[in-house]
Amino acid sequence: MKEDTIDFGFRKVRVDEKQKLVAGVFDSVASRYDIMNDLMSLGIHRLWKRHAISLLQVRDHHDVLDLACGSGDLSLLIAPKLKSGQLTLSDINDNMLAVAKNRLIDRGVVGNVHLALANAESLPFQDNSFDRIIIGFGLRNVTHKDKALASILRVLKPGGRALILEFSHPTSSLLSTWYDAYSFKMLPFLGKIIANDSESYRYLAESIRMHPCQESLKAMMLAAGFDSCHYFNLTGGIVAIHQGIKY
C-alpha cells in the first residue's frame, strides 16, 4: 500500500506536505540559526562538528559535498583543507543557502566553492562525483531517508567516504530523562525569546525523537549499499556520527 502520511515531528502529515513544512521551519529560523545552535547546545555543537570533520579525513585534492549545509559551519572547517579540490555546499532551503554563502564570503572563502539548491533525495550531480560527503543535522528533516542515502551513495566516488552527523538517542535512561526535559521545555522557550518562534523549535525537538536510533540508521546505510558502516556516540549518544564507505 502506498504511503500517504509521514512524521513531521510528532504529527502525521501528507507526504507531499512535509518538505514545505520543513522549509517553513528553516525560513523562520535562518537569521538566528547560529545563535540558537550555540544556546541550545551550550556551544558543544562546535566540538561535535570539529570531531566529525576529523573523521571525514579530507585531503587537499578531494571534491567534497556539504549536504544540508545550513549556515555553513562544516564548510568553514572543510575549506582550509582543500587546495586543488572543490567544495560544494548544498541545501534544499534557499534562505539557509544564502546565509551560508554570506558567511563564507565574510570569511574570505571563495574560489573553489560552489552552491547548489538541491533535495537530498535526488541530488543533481553526476554519478561518482565526490570523494567525501557530509550531512550535518539534516538527515532527520528529509522526507524519505532511504532515498537520500541512495542518492548520496550514487554521487559518492568508489572508495569515497560519507558521514552523517545527527542528533540521536542517549545511551542511558538518566541522560534520556534529562534530555527530554531540556528539549521540550527549554528549546521552545529559547526559540520564543531569541527567534520569536517556539513552534519551530518544538518541531526540531520532536524530529530528534522520531529519528532512527543508532543501530537502525546503521542498518539503513547498509541496506542502501554502503560498506564498512559504523558509528560513534558523542555526549552520551545525544549525537552520533555514522560513517560509510562506497566500494
Side-chain angles (χ1 to χ4, degrees):
M1 182 178 177
K2 188 176 180 180
E3 176 188 38
D4 57 0
T5 62
I6 199 163
D7 298 325
F8 176 73
F10 291 163
R11 294 165 49 196
K12 287 287 187 181
V13 299
R14 293 202 318 265
V15 169
D16 59 0
E17 287 183 326
K18 181 170 180 176
Q19 183 174 314
K20 182 178 179 180
L21 290 169
V22 170
V25 168
F26 287 94
D27 284 342
S28 174
V29 305
S31 64
R32 299 281 183 166
Y33 188 73
D34 292 317
I35 294 173
M36 284 299 298
N37 279 347
D38 280 329
L39 289 173
M40 288 189 302
S41 71
L42 306 178
I44 299 173
H45 75 101
R46 299 180 183 275
L47 299 178
W48 295 333
K49 290 170 181 175
R50 289 186 180 278
H51 189 56
I53 295 303
S54 70
L55 292 174
L56 194 60
Q57 299 182 19
V58 174
R59 302 293 180 258
D60 60 7
H61 62 281
H62 281 162
D63 293 324
V64 182
L65 173 62
D66 180 5
L67 183 57
C69 65
S71 62
D73 272 0
L74 292 171
S75 286
L76 287 171
L77 296 174
I78 294 168
K81 299 178 180 293
L82 298 178
K83 295 180 180 178
S84 58
Q86 300 292 314
L87 172 61
T88 300
L89 288 76
S90 178
D91 202 286
I92 197 171
N93 186 283
D94 53 357
N95 285 325
M96 291 304 305
L97 201 58
V99 170
K101 176 183 177 181
N102 290 333
R103 285 191 75 198
L104 266 64
I105 291 173
D106 289 345
R107 301 288 184 89
V109 180
V110 294
N112 61 341
V113 176
H114 307 279
L115 302 175
L117 186 67
N119 187 332
E121 296 180 21
S122 54
L123 294 170
F125 309 113
Q126 294 184 352
D127 294 358
N128 308 320
S129 292
F130 299 100
D131 299 281
R132 298 287 188 268
I133 299 175
I134 185 167
I135 176 169
F137 303 111
L139 185 63
R140 74 182 189 281
N141 297 309
V142 174
T143 303
H144 298 102
K145 296 175 180 62
D146 54 345
K147 291 183 179 180
L149 291 172
S151 188
I152 290 169
L153 184 69
R154 178 184 64 79
V155 302
L156 190 65
K157 293 180 182 178
R161 183 188 309 270
L163 192 147
I164 301 166
L165 171 66
E166 188 55 88
F167 289 109
S168 198
H169 295 244
T171 54
S172 81
S173 58
L174 183 62
L175 180 59
S176 183
T177 299
W178 172 86
Y179 188 47
D180 280 346
Y182 176 79
S183 298
F184 291 109
K185 293 181 179 179
M186 186 59 69
L187 295 194
F189 172 75
L190 289 173
K192 179 64 176 177
I193 298 300
I194 304 299
N196 195 31
D197 185 353
S198 61
E199 288 304 310
S200 289
Y201 284 91
R202 183 169 287 106
Y203 157 73
L204 292 175
E206 292 175 357
S207 70
I208 293 168
R209 297 310 181 280
M210 300 304 292
H211 187 66
C213 71
Q214 290 89 324
E215 284 292 333
S216 294
L217 183 53
K218 177 182 175 181
M220 291 175 68
M221 293 181 71
L222 289 168
F226 285 97
D227 292 295
S228 301
C229 296
H230 54 280
Y231 61 85
F232 307 87
N233 285 318
L234 304 179
T235 317
I238 288 175
V239 163
I241 297 173
H242 284 72
Q243 184 173 272
I245 307 292
K246 178 178 178 178
Y247 290 133

